Amino acid sequence: MDKLLVHGGRPLHGEVVISGAKNAALPEMCAALLTAEPVHLINVPRLHDVRTMRKLLDNMGVASETHGERGGISFVAHDALSPEAPYELVKTMRASVLALGPLLARFGEATVSLPGGCAIGSRPVDQHIKGLQAMGAQITVEHGYMIAKLPPGQSRLRGARISTDMITVTGTENLLMAATLAEGETVLQNAAQEPEVTDLAEMLIKMGAKIEGHGTSRISIQGVDRLHGCTHQVVADRIEAGTFLCAVAATGGDAFLRHARADHLDAVIDKLLEAGVQVTAEDGGMRVRSPGGALLKAQSFRTTEYPGFPTDMQAQFMALNVLAQGTSTVTETIFENRFMHVNELSRLGAHIAIDGREATVTGGAQLSGATVMATDLRASASLVIAGLVASGETLVDRIYHLDRGYDRMEDKLRGLGADIERLST
């Protein structure tokens, strides 16, 4: 099992290229199931989850081919597919549930295992099922599988007005894809507004879908008879960009984040500016300058749905608060079990007290290297950031979590001057 060995104390300088967004690439790979024509994706990140999704699609009978130097993959979902996503391929990745809507919309049936992923709390798929049932699907859950089909005599899903009980990104994406081939109009109320949802909608429009309102809480879709292929570039990963913003802020330095979108990170950037970090949008990306975490001011924040402060940036910003001056409060409202990194940060010298969904961070800690264990994807990133600052040697174990969502993080950090290496065992 691979580990990362980090020697802290080096400020980060230079340029890093931000990869395509995992949370856009995965649903866009599933969108290829909506047509028999070739779909070409560019800027697909090299991640474990992407490889898993590709295996899942291959298992169904989707032909895929890697091409070019820009993370290009082509997909052809022929008419003779097996509309099933087995547990063996789904168990490690929650995004596999995104195959349900496209398969049901195009083939009239789907059998998809209940998903897995990070152990950060309950993320039920009942909103996906509720929405598809509103569109006429018959869905049962048996032996760990969602079995979906159209009722006898019904050849297509039917448009519906769907208001989910909570804001759900994957739920919005699943229903959005399903609605493109449904009969009539579908209106999604309480829809997720994340940039990855907007990027998926833009791709579907290129494929011939009729969609309005994406990027707002109300999306309307006029179903069409068929979709065609397209070429689409995956939007830059705002969470990877935010992670590197926090890494430079913590260590100090001056770095340019190529392809990063400042307009997708308003809530994070606002907190960084208040802390004393300089962040500016420049042609082709963002620049971040920082004197180092010990000279910054700790910031309290509360995670919430986009455009609020993202839960996927909570752990990384907490690592920064550990170093900054003052006491801060971090409130996690999205997932009930997303403070698992706290015990590991404490091993490095952090001072954090947890009370339910609220963490109180006493800043100004002098971190020293230790062996720590990654518990989920973003927790992994927070431990790497802390290790970049800690004195001595930090060994981050179980980094397979990190590889699920970051494209060669250690290579990119090394390119900025960090002393970090991967140890393979």
Side-chain angles (χ1 to χ4, degrees):
M1 190 177 296
D2 287 4
K3 305 174 183 181
L4 285 182
L5 181 63
V6 187
H7 291 89
R10 293 190 178 187
L12 301 181
H13 293 275
E15 178 177 315
V16 61
V17 177
I18 301 302
S19 301
K22 171 179 86 88
N23 291 336
L26 297 177
E28 287 163 4
M29 292 170 72
C30 288
L33 293 166
L34 291 165
T35 179
E37 296 183 13
V39 170
H40 307 286
L41 293 179
I42 302 169
N43 200 34
V44 179
R46 289 175 284 185
L47 305 173
H48 181 74
D49 275 8
V50 168
R51 291 192 293 271
T52 300
M53 182 65 80
R54 191 169 177 181
K55 287 179 183 177
L56 180 66
L57 295 175
D58 287 347
N59 188 71
M60 294 178 189
V62 177
S64 63
E65 181 181 358
T66 303
H67 58 87
E69 296 296 323
R70 298 180 58 209
I73 308 178
S74 295
F75 301 91
V76 181
H78 300 288
D79 290 328
L81 288 187
S82 172
E84 181 173 348
Y87 173 73
E88 290 72 23
L89 292 172
V90 171
K91 62 183 178 181
T92 63
M93 184 182 63
R94 175 176 169 75
S96 309
V97 73
L98 289 164
L100 180 63
L103 288 173
L104 184 59
R106 181 172 164 209
F107 297 99
E109 60 177 324
T111 301
V112 178
S113 172
L114 292 170
C118 287
I120 57 175
S122 175
R123 297 193 282 185
V125 296
D126 60 322
Q127 300 304 304
H128 304 239
I129 294 173
K130 173 186 172 182
L132 292 171
Q133 287 174 332
M135 298 170 72
Q138 296 178 340
I139 303 177
T140 58
V141 178
E142 301 175 9
H143 309 295
Y145 280 82
M146 294 174 287
I147 302 172
K149 59 183 178 180
L150 297 178
Q154 184 175 326
S155 61
R156 297 169 63 186
L157 291 170
R158 293 172 179 167
R161 300 184 69 86
I162 303 168
S163 181
T164 53
D165 297 333
M166 63 187 73
I167 297 174
T168 161
V169 175
T170 54
T172 299
E173 292 167 340
N174 228 341
L175 299 175
L176 174 62
M177 289 188 283
T180 61
L181 293 178
E183 182 180 356
E185 182 184 40
T186 299
V187 177
L188 303 180
Q189 300 277 16
N190 204 27
Q193 302 176 52
E194 274 75 359
E196 295 80 17
V197 175
T198 300
D199 197 55
L200 172 63
E202 293 295 335
M203 174 186 171
L204 293 170
I205 290 169
K206 292 178 185 176
M207 296 172 69
K210 297 180 179 179
I211 303 170
E212 295 181 349
H214 45 295
T216 75
S217 62
R218 183 184 185 277
I219 305 176
S220 62
I221 308 102
Q222 293 288 342
V224 297
D225 292 335
R226 62 182 296 275
L227 295 177
H228 52 73
C230 75
T231 297
H232 180 74
Q233 180 166 319
V234 180
V235 70
D237 193 325
R238 63 192 169 96
I239 303 303
E240 184 188 36
T243 300
F244 276 95
L245 286 176
C246 286
V248 177
T251 62
D254 181 341
F256 180 67
L257 281 54
R258 186 161 298 281
H259 303 320
R261 293 275 300 269
D263 58 327
H264 290 172
L265 282 166
D266 285 341
V268 174
I269 291 173
D270 285 347
K271 289 296 180 182
L272 287 171
L273 292 174
E274 291 171 14
V277 181
Q278 296 180 43
V279 183
T280 54
E282 296 185 5
D283 186 29
M286 277 191 293
R287 182 165 297 280
V288 53
R289 299 180 179 91
S290 173
L295 296 176
L296 301 178
K297 181 180 178 181
Q299 298 297 310
S300 296
F301 63 90
R302 179 185 184 91
T303 65
T304 187
E305 293 86 359
Y306 189 87
F309 196 100
T311 181
D312 279 349
M313 282 300 305
Q314 178 252 107
Q316 301 93 304
F317 209 103
M318 186 184 288
L320 181 60
N321 274 344
V322 163
L323 305 164
Q325 298 303 310
T327 299
S328 59
T329 300
V330 175
T331 306
E332 173 59 55
T333 72
I334 306 298
F335 295 123
E336 71 274 14
N337 197 24
R338 205 162 201 180
F339 284 147
M340 291 189 291
H341 51 282
V342 168
N343 287 338
E344 301 304 302
L345 286 173
S346 297
R347 285 179 52 79
L348 298 172
H351 304 293
I352 307 170
I354 299 176
D355 182 10
R357 292 197 173 202
E358 186 172 281
T360 300
V361 184
T362 302
Q366 299 293 317
L367 302 184
S368 59
T371 297
V372 291
M373 181 179 67
T375 53
D376 62 70
L377 172 54
R378 306 307 173 184
S380 308
S382 75
L383 297 177
V384 171
I385 291 171
L388 290 171
V389 180
S391 62
E393 189 174 276
T394 299
L395 187 66
V396 184
D397 201 356
R398 294 178 65 182
I399 61 166
Y400 60 84
H401 289 294
L402 195 76
D403 293 337
R404 287 187 50 239
Y406 289 95
D407 185 347
R408 300 162 295 127
M409 175 183 266
E410 71 276 12
D411 291 345
K412 293 184 178 184
L413 285 170
R414 198 158 44 242
L416 292 174
D419 186 347
I420 181 171
E421 62 177 313
R422 179 180 292 256
L423 304 179
S424 298
T425 56

